Amino acid sequence: ESRQEVQERIFQRVFYAWWVTQVPPSLGILPLVVQWFEAINLKHEVVDGNYRVTTYIITQMIITLPMLLVMAVCNLWPAFLIGNFPWGAFGQSAFIVASMLLCFEFNAHFGTLDPHPAIACANFLNCWFTMMIFNGWLLSDANIPWPFRIVTYISPLRYAAEAFLYRLFADNHNDYVGALPCAHTF
């Protein structure tokens, strides 16, 4: 029943939308081991003079950016279909999710600097899970102690979820049956 656009179902719809933005970055662990071994080969090939690091970075970006957009589209179309979200927000939502995936792609590439692929995978999952827990959604900012509150402010998961939810609900707020205007001023 969470597909119904009624005020009583808004919590379920928001939680579903939040979940749609939080899970896809965890899949970045899948190619991490291959990237780790690729980084070892890259070091040898750069030292041997086969090509430059800038060439590698540019080619990776040419390949990665379109694929992240494809991954975002593949993640979102079933979510929009199941969640009965407005299709007018699909394009911008795909860009939001692709941008968030890019942040975690950079994180995965930095993981290739770890001494072992298992450590790289553990660090990647630790980073993702920490950002998911401390992104201000499960715990409010005031309840997070200061050393960890910094994660709340830098988490791409937080900003992606907020932007995604804004895109979903900003243009169709009049469609919800029984919704009252918010009298609270921020």
Side-chain angles (χ1 to χ4, degrees):
E1 295 178 3
S2 64
R3 291 175 47 89
Q4 298 173 1
E5 294 179 342
V6 294
Q7 184 67 25
E8 292 80 28
R9 299 286 175 237
I10 196 70
F11 177 76
Q12 288 89 354
R13 292 178 64 76
V14 167
F15 185 73
Y16 175 65
W18 174 82
W19 198 251
V20 165
T21 60
Q22 303 301 299
V23 173
S26 68
L27 300 176
I29 196 170
L30 299 174
L32 183 58
V33 174
V34 174
Q35 289 173 344
W36 190 86
F37 285 110
E38 183 179 306
I40 292 174
N41 290 337
L42 171 68
K43 291 174 192 171
H44 292 295
E45 290 174 356
V46 167
V47 169
D48 291 343
N50 292 343
Y51 53 85
R52 298 181 183 163
V53 175
T54 54
T55 307
Y56 174 79
I57 292 171
I58 290 170
T59 6
Q60 284 297 312
M61 293 308 287
I62 289 172
I63 295 167
T64 301
L65 291 176
M67 286 311 297
L68 290 177
L69 191 58
V70 167
M71 287 174 56
V73 167
C74 290
N75 173 55
L76 287 178
W77 78 263
F80 269 70
L81 195 62
I82 293 168
N84 194 27
F85 293 141
W87 288 97
F90 187 82
Q92 290 177 339
S93 298
F95 179 74
I96 290 166
V97 172
S99 300
M100 180 209 30
L101 290 174
L102 182 63
C103 294
F104 281 91
E105 181 71 19
F106 288 147
N107 184 9
H109 279 287
F110 282 125
T112 61
L113 301 174
D114 287 327
H116 194 273
I119 295 172
C121 291
N123 285 339
F124 180 85
L125 281 180
N126 183 29
C127 181
W128 167 73
F129 192 71
T130 303
M131 287 189 181
M132 187 176 77
I133 295 297
F134 295 126
N135 68 1
W137 284 77
L138 299 176
L139 299 169
S140 67
D141 297 351
N143 292 335
I144 299 173
W146 248 109
F148 301 109
R149 195 178 301 177
I150 295 169
V151 175
T152 302
Y153 299 129
I154 63 169
S155 174
L157 293 175
R158 174 186 185 152
Y159 298 110
E162 289 176 357
F164 182 62
L165 286 168
Y166 179 80
R167 257 326 344 123
L168 292 180
F169 297 113
D171 295 336
N172 69 342
H173 61 279
N174 293 329
D175 296 343
Y176 283 83
V177 177
L180 299 173
C182 181
H184 182 74
T185 57
F186 294 98

